[in-house]
Amino acid sequence: MASGTSREVLGRGLAVLGRAIREQPRIFAVAVAGSVLFGLMVVASAFVVGRVVGEVVVPAVASGSVGTGALALAAAALLGISVLRVVGIFGRRLGAGYMQYRLQADYRRRVTRRYLELPLSWHHRHATGTLLSNANSDVEAAWHPIAPLPFAVGTLVMLVGAVAALFVTDWALALVGLAVFPALFALNVAYSRRMAPRQARAQRLRAEVSGIAHESFDGALVVKTMGREAQETGRFADRAGELRDALISVGRLRGIFDPMLETLPSLGTLAVLVVGAYRLRQGAIDVTELVSVAFLFTVLAFPVRAIGWVLAELPRSVAGWDRLRRVLDATGEMPYGESRLDAASSAPATLTFTDVGFAYEPAEAHLPGAQVLGEVSFTVPAGRTVALVGPTGAGKSTVAALAVRLMDPRSGAVRIDGVDVRELAVDSLAGTAALVAQVPFIFDDTVRANVSLDRPGVDDEAVWAALRLAEADAFIAALPDGLDTMVGERGASLSGGQRQRLTLARALAGRPRLLVLDDATSAVDPRVEAAILAGLRSAEAGGPGASILVVAYRRATIALADEVVYLEQGRVVARGTHATLLATVPGYTDLVTAYEQAEVDHDRQRTYDEVTPLTSGLEVDR
């Protein structure tokens, strides 16, 4: 089984290297040419050193004098070979490094592009830390053997040249070489077989450690407010300890095999000297040939290690490549069509849901997905506002996501102006519909960059207009640098309501014809929310004049809608005006009343918190 596993890892690893060579053939050719030049010069240097010893040094020792011409010629030969070796090393390292980093950059782009192509349902099943590991450490692991690969290929050429030179020199010495070289390969194969599972486990643990760290940092608010610092630190420490042990296991194995790989060529040199001395006494070879062969074995020790480096990194490369392929081969992407809506039109769009059904994909493929929506049908007429109301888990956010095609329905169709959103080109859909999510996301950039997103036509005038509609212009103008103010990671320098208004301004800056608000104003004061929604509805007041689908909880927000769609358990239970549903649908009445009471309690508590310090101060004064 172990042998089969070793052969499998070797075969798959060589396939990964083959892919790298096919993708970067010219750069690889330059690197290999440099390595081959270096290898040939290594072999040549052995025979030049042998000639220098046999024809210059030995005669000089015997006669007690050295010829200047012979010494100059020997120095010139050694210098020339050294210069060519330097050229070979430069070409090999430059080509290998350029090839490795180019592949890593290319595959980071591929992985990131794939992330953006895959639907949210796929992302829901994969931890963010794992995805970060795919784009970082897995990419590095997959292409790590590229650095020594050209050296190893050049070494193979060098070994062939060395064996040929040994046979030309003396068959007995050649047999010593034939015994040493296969032993080196066998040792490297045994090393690779034992290293494979260790490298795979270490690579998996790297992703898990990254995932736990990201989750803890991203949930810092929960961790600190719930007093879970020690527990989170312990959870991270446990997995980091496992990674430490896995890497120590890798290092321990390397510590066992590295001395053996270093010693074997030295034993080969010793064997050459023993056999060579015997052959020298027989007159089969001379001093020049013996020195050449002995020196050749001495200088071969380091280059032969290059093959071991490649074989040692293949298990890690295969583990990283397997993790990359799971992303690159993932299915479920949502290809866009070629249909386009009228780009010149500024008229509000019509949104239609027809018998839409949706179920999220399960975490495990063999399990059935949970049904979220079933035969949902309603229309947001052009220029009108429709409120989605329902209890938690009714499918409101799913409807909002389907409206802008963050996901595709399992059945039925979502249409904008009569065109199925699956048939629209990506830029046409993005230019027509905009979603403002419940949880705002702010980039670590300036206010201007967050609102404009470098979109064509969104200049400072358009940014300020969008900020005014979102009731955000006043607090932005009060910031130290106005539009140039850096807002921090995820908008850390802003309040929750300010972040919501900034993301709303971002959507409005693109002048969408369909605006989808997924409880996008819940963190702002009700008076501010009423002003925002009133501005959005009124094109005359500078609003976008867009059709609006809003997921709403507050009674004041719901009352502004032209129609209310009431959802329960993923189905449309009732439709009509707010007043009509209050009078005819008990479940709707109970829900809205509960929302209203919660809002009243919230306002009362906020007033109490503001007044209590003042009251306490008066009591102290008494």
Side-chain angles (χ1 to χ4, degrees):
M1 177 65 71
S3 178
T5 302
S6 175
R7 286 194 294 269
E8 180 185 1
V9 170
L10 179 62
R12 294 170 63 199
L14 293 177
V16 174
L17 297 182
R19 173 180 287 271
I21 295 170
R22 290 194 298 273
E23 293 192 11
Q24 303 290 336
R26 294 182 180 178
I27 302 175
F28 181 72
V30 170
V32 169
S35 182
V36 169
L37 176 61
F38 171 80
L40 293 177
M41 290 304 100
V42 168
V43 176
S45 66
F47 288 92
V48 169
V49 168
R51 293 286 298 274
V52 169
V53 171
E55 299 179 11
V56 177
V57 176
V58 173
V61 172
S63 63
S65 63
V66 59
T68 304
L71 186 61
L73 183 62
L78 292 174
L79 179 62
I81 288 176
S82 297
V83 169
L84 291 176
R85 287 178 65 175
V86 169
V87 171
I89 292 172
F90 179 79
R92 182 194 79 223
R93 290 189 175 179
L94 180 65
Y98 192 79
M99 181 179 177
Q100 181 184 32
Y101 297 134
R102 188 167 182 173
L103 281 168
Q104 289 177 355
D106 181 49
Y107 272 82
R108 284 194 177 98
R109 287 192 294 268
R110 293 191 194 186
V111 169
T112 302
R113 188 184 307 118
R114 192 62 180 155
Y115 286 161
L116 298 177
E117 292 171 347
L118 290 166
L120 286 180
S121 56
W122 183 88
H123 286 272
H124 291 160
R125 303 194 307 272
H126 296 82
T128 303
T130 300
L131 302 185
L132 291 173
S133 179
N134 291 150
N136 187 25
S137 63
D138 289 336
V139 170
E140 291 182 357
W143 304 121
H144 194 70
I146 297 302
L149 178 61
F151 196 9
V153 174
T155 298
L156 290 175
V157 175
M158 182 182 64
L159 289 178
V160 172
V163 171
L166 287 176
F167 272 105
V168 170
T169 302
D170 183 67
W171 64 268
L173 297 179
L175 291 179
V176 174
L178 289 180
V180 171
F181 296 148
L184 280 172
F185 281 108
L187 192 59
N188 275 305
V189 169
Y191 177 41
S192 176
R193 181 172 60 194
R194 287 164 174 76
M195 183 65 76
R198 290 172 171 81
Q199 289 282 23
R201 182 170 182 268
Q203 197 65 19
R204 175 179 58 81
L205 287 171
R206 282 188 178 95
E208 293 181 9
V209 168
S210 175
I212 293 175
H214 181 275
E215 189 175 54
S216 297
F217 301 154
D218 213 30
L221 178 62
V222 176
V223 172
K224 295 187 74 64
T225 56
M226 300 299 291
R228 302 292 296 175
E229 294 95 333
Q231 289 78 4
E232 283 299 302
T233 301
R235 187 164 72 105
F236 180 82
D238 289 343
R239 199 53 51 89
E242 290 184 42
L243 176 59
R244 174 204 61 206
D245 295 341
L247 293 176
I248 289 175
S249 177
V250 169
R252 185 182 296 115
L253 185 65
R254 185 168 288 165
I256 293 173
F257 275 87
D258 276 1
M260 297 171 64
L261 291 170
E262 290 284 356
T263 303
L264 198 54
S266 300
L267 293 177
T269 302
L270 181 61
V272 163
L273 291 175
V274 172
V275 175
Y278 176 74
R279 299 289 288 170
L280 183 64
R281 285 198 303 269
Q282 288 184 327
I285 59 174
D286 56 25
V287 173
T288 297
E289 293 169 330
L290 177 59
V291 172
S292 296
V293 173
F295 185 79
L296 182 62
F297 269 80
T298 301
V299 296
L300 279 179
F302 175 71
V304 167
R305 290 297 313 280
I307 300 173
W309 294 335
V310 174
L311 293 177
E313 292 298 333
L314 283 185
R316 183 184 174 199
S317 175
V318 169
W321 178 251
D322 287 345
R323 294 171 63 84
L324 285 183
R325 292 307 308 177
R326 282 197 287 271
V327 176
L328 298 175
D329 293 341
T331 58
E333 70 276 13
M334 301 186 302
Y336 288 88
E338 299 180 359
S339 299
R340 293 184 175 276
L341 301 173
D342 186 1
S345 175
S346 59
T350 298
L351 173 68
T352 306
F353 273 63
T354 305
D355 297 328
V356 171
F358 182 81
Y360 284 103
E361 295 183 17
E364 299 182 30
H366 64 279
L367 298 176
Q371 186 73 20
V372 179
L373 300 178
E375 299 181 356
V376 170
S377 298
F378 68 90
T379 299
V380 180
R384 311 291 279 180
T385 298
V386 173
L388 277 178
V389 181
T392 302
K396 303 182 295 298
S397 293
T398 302
V399 169
L402 290 169
V404 294
R405 210 198 169 201
L406 292 180
M407 304 174 292
D408 281 337
R410 294 290 182 89
S411 59
V414 179
R415 295 182 176 88
I416 297 179
D417 286 347
V419 181
D420 193 316
V421 293
R422 289 169 289 199
E423 299 174 2
L424 288 173
V426 60
D427 56 339
S428 182
L429 178 60
T432 301
L435 169 70
V436 184
Q438 181 178 10
V439 179
F441 181 84
I442 304 296
F443 294 97
D444 185 7
D445 209 329
T446 63
V447 172
R448 177 187 290 104
N450 268 284
V451 176
S452 69
L453 295 181
D454 293 328
R455 287 172 287 185
V458 183
D459 54 14
D460 281 4
E461 182 179 350
V463 169
W464 279 114
L467 290 171
R468 281 192 294 273
L469 276 173
E471 295 289 323
D473 56 320
F475 81 80
I476 295 298
L479 292 175
D481 298 312
L483 293 181
D484 294 316
T485 301
M486 296 293 295
V487 295
E489 185 178 4
R490 295 180 179 268
S493 63
L494 305 176
S495 69
Q498 289 173 336
R499 288 195 293 269
Q500 279 196 333
R501 281 179 277 172
L502 196 59
T503 55
L504 177 59
R506 175 194 297 158
L508 295 174
R511 307 294 295 181
R513 297 168 54 217
L514 171 65
L515 186 61
V516 181
L517 306 177
D518 185 7
D519 193 27
T521 54
S522 60
V524 301
D525 185 276
R527 293 182 297 275
V528 176
E529 181 187 40
I532 292 173
L533 293 177
L536 295 180
R537 286 168 56 87
S538 176
E540 292 78 8
S547 307
I548 301 175
L549 175 65
V550 54
V551 176
Y553 293 90
R554 291 172 174 166
R555 181 190 286 260
T557 307
I558 299 170
L560 289 172
D562 300 298
E563 183 182 28
V564 177
V565 175
Y566 179 54
L567 295 175
E568 281 187 359
Q569 297 181 347
R571 296 182 180 275
V572 176
V573 176
R575 293 171 55 184
T577 65
H578 172 59
T580 300
L581 296 187
L582 277 178
T584 60
V585 183
Y588 176 81
T589 304
D590 294 341
L591 182 66
V592 173
T593 302
Y595 286 154
E596 186 175 30
Q597 184 60 48
E599 189 69 28
V600 170
D601 292 343
H602 175 73
D603 290 341
R604 184 182 296 121
Q605 181 64 44
R606 182 169 56 188
T607 302
Y608 174 78
D609 292 340
E610 293 172 353
V611 171
T612 298
L614 298 177
T615 306
S616 300
L618 292 173
E619 291 174 351
V620 171
D621 290 340
R622 288 200 205 93

